[in-house]
Amino acid sequence: MASSLPPALKRLGQNFLIDPNIIRKIVSLAALGPEDTVLEIGPGRGALTAGLCAEAGRVIAVEIDPQLQPHLQDSLGHCRNLDLRIGDALAFPFETLPLRTVVVANLPYYVSTPILFALLDARARLDRLVLMLQTEVALRLAAKPNSEDYGVLSVLTQEAAEVDLAFRVSANCFRPRPTVGSAVVHLRIKTQEGFEPVRHERFRRLVRASFAHRRKTLVNSLRDEGYPPEQIARATAEAGVPPQARAEMLTLDDYRTLARAFDRDSV
Ligand code: SAM
């Protein structure tokens, strides 16, 4: 006998997809084949999971809510390639994933940014990600310099991946309906050649410090965040960053050049 469904928990971001067209569009965007392992974060009631299991070689689905387990086991019992794990995605051992894993998720919005950063940290194991996000976050991921949405999330995501805003999704496609708009993004992880964790940590610190005081110039922002003035002066001059520049004016390449100029002081 099928297990009855527990009510959706708002605190866990449980807005379940009910529109088969959107589910098909997400699965098709992931372009899966039998050679692919998929990591799904938050399978919920399994709306997407069944489609992923039909296309991929293996699906690892991590769900935090143990109440959903009996339903998932009942409804997806026929999916021999499903590996269901009950636990917090933030504690998932990403290093155990096979190389070139594909992430597909309708993310819980309350924790989407920490999960996104955890996934970007695990990028060496990943090939591409198809993520449903709050529209506002999706726009920030894809934003270009000199726009209101451009910030830390844009630079750090675009440093790791090519970002495409794929399509928007109406609130009517979920039960319960979310109070915010939703959009699906496609991230293709960039080559990992030359990736050095220590340098990357310094890059991340620099980008965060640059945007820490949006109304100030980049130079003042970095100074307020504890970078020594003489180092700022030398590195910005070397990187060709004008003294009046603000964080949102710099491209990803500008940040890379600036980080390399700071690195020369740190090694
Ligand atoms: N994939 C399903 C769908 O599209 O209908 C459910 C998506 S729902 C927006 C988000 C899911 O993530 C919920 O099932 C929720 O319980 C789960 N979740 C919330 N926080 C989580 C976490 N930290 N780790 C893993 N799953 C989480």
Side-chain angles (χ1 to χ4, degrees):
M1 199 178 77
S3 56
S4 62
L5 282 167
L9 299 177
K10 205 173 163 189
R11 70 181 165 82
L12 289 179
Q14 292 183 350
N15 300 99
F16 301 112
L17 268 172
I18 53 155
D19 185 320
N21 281 327
I22 296 297
I23 293 168
R24 266 196 296 274
K25 273 176 89 170
I26 293 174
V27 174
S28 133
L29 191 60
L32 299 168
E35 70 288 359
D36 287 313
T37 294
V38 171
L39 171 67
E40 187 193 6
I41 294 173
R45 294 174 177 169
L48 255 178
T49 321
L52 299 173
C53 286
E55 306 271 321
R58 181 181 174 209
V59 176
I60 304 169
V62 188
E63 172 56 59
I64 203 169
D65 183 358
Q67 290 195 77
L68 293 169
Q69 188 173 8
H71 171 74
L72 282 169
Q73 279 167 343
D74 274 0
S75 61
L76 299 174
H78 61 286
C79 298
R80 295 273 164 242
N81 54 349
L82 173 64
D83 175 357
L84 176 64
R85 318 259 184 107
I86 299 299
D88 185 346
L90 288 172
F92 184 82
F94 294 103
E95 70 284 356
T96 61
L97 290 171
L99 291 175
R100 303 183 62 81
T101 292
V102 183
V103 180
V104 183
N106 169 15
L107 285 178
Y109 295 166
Y110 78 100
V111 70
S112 62
T113 309
I115 290 179
L116 182 68
F117 278 123
L119 291 169
L120 294 181
D121 278 347
R123 72 178 84 167
R125 297 266 149 202
L126 308 181
D127 183 67
R128 56 196 187 277
L129 301 87
V130 175
L131 303 176
M132 174 97 73
L133 294 162
Q134 191 174 334
T135 309
E136 193 184 286
V137 177
L139 291 174
R140 280 160 61 198
L141 256 54
K144 297 291 173 221
N146 293 309
S147 68
E148 213 178 295
D149 293 321
Y150 188 66
V152 175
L153 207 53
S154 329
V155 179
L156 296 183
T157 307
Q158 291 168 30
E159 199 255 336
E162 305 288 347
V163 183
D164 282 318
L165 192 66
F167 53 90
R168 294 180 190 240
V169 180
S170 152
N172 294 328
C173 299
F174 305 83
R175 283 289 177 283
R177 291 172 91 252
T179 50
V180 293
S182 301
V184 172
V185 290
H186 188 219
L187 310 186
R188 264 181 304 266
I189 297 296
K190 291 178 178 174
T191 166
Q192 292 304 293
E193 230 170 274
F195 180 83
E196 291 176 40
V198 176
R199 272 177 191 244
H200 187 253
E201 199 38 57
R202 287 204 291 260
F203 178 81
R204 194 146 50 172
R205 182 179 162 234
L206 175 72
V207 174
R208 287 188 196 281
S210 304
F211 282 97
H213 309 274
R214 274 189 93 106
R215 283 201 299 269
K216 296 189 176 176
T217 62
L218 179 100
V219 166
N220 287 343
S221 202
L222 291 177
R223 195 199 52 216
D224 288 359
E225 292 302 299
Y227 284 76
E230 56 294 352
Q231 216 187 69
I232 300 173
R234 200 197 45 71
T236 49
E238 201 179 309
V241 174
Q244 291 314 312
R246 288 171 194 279
E248 64 269 23
M249 294 160 64
L250 271 65
T251 64
L252 171 61
D253 279 345
D254 291 333
Y255 278 109
R256 285 190 170 138
T257 311
L258 189 59
R260 276 198 296 274
F262 273 106
D263 273 351
R264 280 189 268 280
D265 278 348
S266 319
V267 286

